[in-house]
Amino acid sequence: MITLVIYDITDDRIRNRVAKVCKQHGLSRIQKSAFLGEISSARRKELSVKLRKTLGKEKGNIQIFVICKMDIASREIIGDIEEYEDEEIIIF
Amino acid sequence: MITLVIYDITDDRIRNRVAKVCKQHGLSRIQKSAFLGEISSARRKELSVKLRKTLGKEKGNIQIFVICKMDIASREIIGDIEEYEDEEIIIF
């Protein structure tokens, strides 16, 4: 299961925590506020619980998408993906 | 065809233009740098060409995903979606 997480969080502390949770659950950064990766459905559920806890009642929005293999094949990338510290960049 | 566009662009002028192009092609803002909507494959191709032109050789990254109906049903939203000026918020 390919999972995409995108978020819009103003608070630096919370935003960094969200990024950390995504990384810890096997996703790789593809943009400043977007993570992508192939993880099991169980792991995605765990990720969702953790992200919910991390945001708590703070202002912000996180969205989790599941993308099937067929759809990911249509993914288009325009411009360069920045390299992020200590991270691999996924290009399926 | 449900299309998701996410972008990571530092330059305000280019970023605003990208948002405008997404809107003009029938997508709705779901986050500060993410647009979603159901558009035809022809329209998505047109959007892709326009986005490529808009970014040009400037620094930045735009990614276009196609998401099928089955997958969009698994979409999870954590926290509130902010209301954006003159825009409808799509929640499938």
Side-chain angles (χ1 to χ4, degrees):
Chain A
M1 278 293 202
I2 294 158
T3 296
L4 171 71
V5 176
I6 60 173
Y7 50 89
D8 196 353
I9 296 165
T10 324
D11 186 291
D12 288 350
R13 201 175 38 99
I14 308 277
R15 202 177 52 248
N16 289 339
R17 270 197 220 155
V18 163
K20 205 175 159 189
V21 168
C22 288
K23 261 197 276 184
Q24 282 169 344
H25 285 75
L27 303 184
S28 301
R29 197 167 227 155
I30 54 160
Q31 281 184 359
K32 219 169 277 166
S33 296
F35 278 79
L36 184 75
E38 194 170 354
I39 55 175
S40 69
S41 158
R43 197 124 172 91
R44 193 179 66 253
K45 272 171 205 151
E46 204 185 278
L47 169 68
S48 156
V49 170
K50 267 282 176 64
L51 289 176
R52 229 170 256 282
K53 266 194 194 163
T54 306
L55 185 62
K57 287 180 175 170
E58 299 291 332
K59 219 183 145 207
N61 180 258
I62 305 170
Q63 300 197 29
I64 307 171
F65 293 88
V66 171
I67 302 172
C68 63
K69 293 254 161 115
M70 220 181 81
D71 287 345
I72 206 73
S74 310
R75 175 187 179 202
E76 262 193 79
I77 302 173
I78 301 170
D80 297 326
I81 295 188
E82 231 178 273
E83 296 245 355
Y84 296 95
E85 4 51 68
D86 308 308
E87 286 163 0
E88 287 165 56
I89 299 299
I90 285 192
I91 301 177
F92 283 97
Chain B
M1 279 294 202
I2 294 158
T3 296
L4 171 70
V5 176
I6 60 174
Y7 50 90
D8 196 352
I9 297 165
T10 324
D11 187 290
D12 288 350
R13 201 176 39 99
I14 308 277
R15 202 177 52 249
N16 289 338
R17 271 197 218 154
V18 164
K20 205 174 159 191
V21 169
C22 288
K23 259 197 275 185
Q24 281 169 343
H25 285 75
L27 303 185
S28 301
R29 196 166 226 157
I30 55 160
Q31 281 184 359
K32 221 169 275 165
S33 296
F35 278 80
L36 185 75
E38 195 170 354
I39 56 176
S40 70
S41 157
R43 199 126 171 88
R44 194 179 66 254
K45 272 171 203 151
E46 203 185 279
L47 169 67
S48 156
V49 171
K50 267 281 175 65
L51 290 176
R52 230 170 255 281
K53 267 193 193 164
T54 306
L55 185 62
K57 287 179 178 173
E58 299 289 333
K59 218 184 145 205
N61 179 258
I62 305 171
Q63 299 196 29
I64 307 172
F65 293 90
V66 171
I67 302 172
C68 62
K69 293 254 162 113
M70 221 181 80
D71 287 344
I72 205 74
S74 310
R75 175 188 180 201
E76 262 192 81
I77 302 174
I78 301 170
D80 297 326
I81 296 188
E82 230 179 274
E83 296 245 357
Y84 296 96
E85 3 55 64
D86 310 309
E87 286 164 359
E88 289 165 50
I89 300 299
I90 285 191
I91 301 177
F92 285 98

